[in-house]
Amino acid sequence: MKITQVRLGRISTPLRVPFKTALRTVNSVEDVIVELHTDTGAVGYGEAPPTGVITGDTAGAIIGAIQDHIAPAILGRDLDEFEDLTAAVQKALVHNTSAKAAVDMALWDLLGQKYNAPVYRMLGGARKNIVTDITISVNPPEEMARDARTAIARGYDCLKVKVGIDPELDVARLAAVREAVGKDVCIRIDANQAWNAKQAVRILNQMQDKGLDIEFVEQPVPAADLEGMQYVTRHADVPVLADESVFSPADALKIMQTGAADLVNIKLMKCGGITNALRIAAAAEVYSVQCMIGCMLEAKVSVNAAVELACAKKIITKIDLDGPVLCSEDHILGGAVFNEKNITVSDAPGMGIEGFVPGKVNYLA
Ligand code: MG
């Protein structure tokens, strides 16, 4: 099976409601689509959302990285050079993890198709079903309480609540959400780097003193402040999950070795795809550090790849793959079934993506 064409396109998917975090407000999901065509007719699918505020990757940068650097490194090559192909993607240029992730997942999709096996089974096959949380955007407390009640009515039992736009209000926000949903709902919070270390400890301990029962806090301090994150991990009465601090497997290893966080968030767009995500999962297994798998605002091709990984590996115990359910339309055929909180992986060879609703992808010339 030889790679004969790297075809790129763009796809736009409207959100049900605007997505607001400490870093940005977004109204629709705008993704770059990758298709790896082969001489057998098989097509491998990949996708990358431009998330400039987190990865630094804009749509233009993703397209340029693939067209000018990654595609030339894999075109004409045989899929059975798989180890070299995945390495060539990572070595084609520095950074640009979203572009690398899109192509890497398409290669894994092809590998599964070639050997007639679902990718999640090739990687371990731990389970077929996973349960995701859902994100509650940062808004005034009463609006967040209402959004939380709506999520519970839709069947979710775990909320990921965004905080950090105005630290003075964060305890009130969480109190309103907890009051709205009762004590049996799991609440995890994501500060998206908004606090400093001492502020984080103060806010988190206030939340626990009020009985708000926070499962863990995601990225309380700036990405580069590993000492600050270690301080929070040691002094706050809430487990800490590293997200923006962990891009590469080396980043993850450093956090595990220094105990800077209790948990690590794997996102394909940060680490550059399935190949590097497997390296993070392997390190996490060695250190017994449980992982969350997360996504950006992404449509179903790339979240589907994350589902394949999550269903393969038991060390991934926390699931934050709500990208598709935040969208009001689905233009992607095949792949995992997303039924609100319940996600069932596809048993089709590769990753099970069958293509797109006609006319929904704007292919580049
Ligand atoms: Mg996060």
Side-chain angles (χ1 to χ4, degrees):
M1 183 185 281
K2 277 196 166 59
I3 298 164
T4 54
Q5 187 192 5
V6 179
R7 196 174 187 209
L8 299 178
R10 299 187 65 164
I11 192 166
S12 175
T13 315
L15 288 171
R16 290 170 176 240
V17 291
F19 185 86
K20 292 187 207 170
T21 75
L23 297 173
R24 58 183 178 145
T25 298
V26 182
N27 295 303
S28 64
V29 178
E30 307 289 333
D31 290 338
V32 176
I33 293 292
V34 178
E35 295 179 3
L36 298 185
H37 291 254
T38 63
D39 59 356
T40 66
V43 179
Y45 292 96
E47 175 184 0
T51 314
V53 292
I54 295 172
T55 59
D57 298 337
T58 61
I62 292 166
I63 291 165
I66 296 174
Q67 278 180 337
D68 299 342
H69 295 270
I70 300 173
I74 61 170
L75 267 173
R77 295 178 69 174
D78 196 290
L79 197 74
D80 278 341
E81 300 172 45
F82 197 76
E83 171 105 341
D84 288 339
L85 278 173
T86 55
V89 171
Q90 299 301 323
K91 287 178 188 160
L93 73 174
V94 299
H95 307 304
N96 289 278
T97 48
S98 306
K100 290 171 183 174
V103 177
D104 182 86
M105 71 181 66
L107 287 170
W108 280 97
D109 185 14
L110 286 176
L111 190 71
Q113 292 180 50
K114 173 160 182 182
Y115 292 102
N116 203 29
V119 168
Y120 84 98
R121 289 224 180 267
M122 294 169 66
L123 300 181
R127 55 200 158 169
K128 288 201 61 174
N129 302 292
I130 49 179
V131 176
T132 183
D133 62 14
I134 189 165
T135 301
I136 305 295
S137 286
V138 191
N139 278 304
E142 56 281 7
E143 195 172 336
M144 293 177 74
R146 193 193 62 210
D147 289 348
R149 273 192 294 267
T150 303
I152 302 308
R154 285 169 66 186
Y156 291 91
D157 48 24
C158 187
L159 306 177
K160 172 165 149 170
V161 180
K162 294 285 188 180
V163 293
I165 279 189
D166 173 4
E168 300 312 311
L169 258 182
D170 282 335
V171 177
R173 285 194 176 95
L174 258 292
V177 171
R178 176 56 81 195
E179 160 109 31
V181 300
K183 65 176 175 37
D184 294 334
V185 170
C186 145
I187 296 180
R188 42 187 73 160
I189 62 177
D190 188 354
N192 287 111
Q193 316 178 55
W195 302 328
N196 64 46
K198 286 190 172 171
Q199 192 178 32
V201 170
R202 195 177 66 240
I203 293 170
L204 292 167
N205 287 347
Q206 275 178 23
M207 287 177 178
Q208 296 307 69
D209 288 348
K210 284 182 182 287
L212 300 184
D213 194 16
I214 308 301
E215 182 196 17
F216 60 79
V217 60
E218 199 172 327
Q219 198 66 42
V221 298
D225 186 10
L226 294 190
E227 293 83 0
M229 195 158 60
Q230 190 184 51
Y231 179 89
V232 180
T233 300
R234 286 186 182 158
H235 294 96
D237 188 22
V238 177
V240 174
L241 178 142
D243 183 10
E244 288 95 322
S245 295
V246 177
F247 273 58
S248 67
D251 294 339
L253 195 57
K254 187 172 179 192
I255 281 176
M256 292 170 197
Q257 286 169 331
T258 57
D262 302 289
L263 304 148
V264 162
N265 192 350
I266 301 175
K267 288 179 180 163
L268 298 178
M269 295 305 139
K270 294 186 300 173
C271 70
I274 297 281
T275 305
N276 272 346
L278 289 169
R279 296 185 174 117
I280 296 176
E285 285 163 355
V286 172
Y287 280 86
S288 295
V289 167
Q290 291 180 25
C291 298
M292 177 149 93
I293 188 148
C295 57
M296 307 295 179
L297 276 178
E298 299 168 31
K300 213 172 70 183
V301 177
S302 49
V303 178
N304 181 62
V307 170
E308 297 275 349
L309 181 69
C311 287
K313 294 291 172 195
K314 284 187 178 158
I315 197 73
I316 299 172
T317 56
K318 321 264 179 208
I319 312 294
D320 177 28
L321 297 177
D322 60 353
V325 296
L326 298 177
C327 295
S328 61
E329 295 172 22
D330 179 13
H331 304 146
I332 294 155
L333 309 173
V337 175
F338 293 81
N339 183 12
E340 295 290 9
K341 71 177 178 181
N342 297 301
I343 305 173
T344 303
V345 71
S346 166
D347 257 321
M351 299 204 190
I353 297 294
E354 292 158 10
F356 304 96
V357 173
K360 290 298 182 183
V361 176
N362 285 320
Y363 287 100
L364 304 182

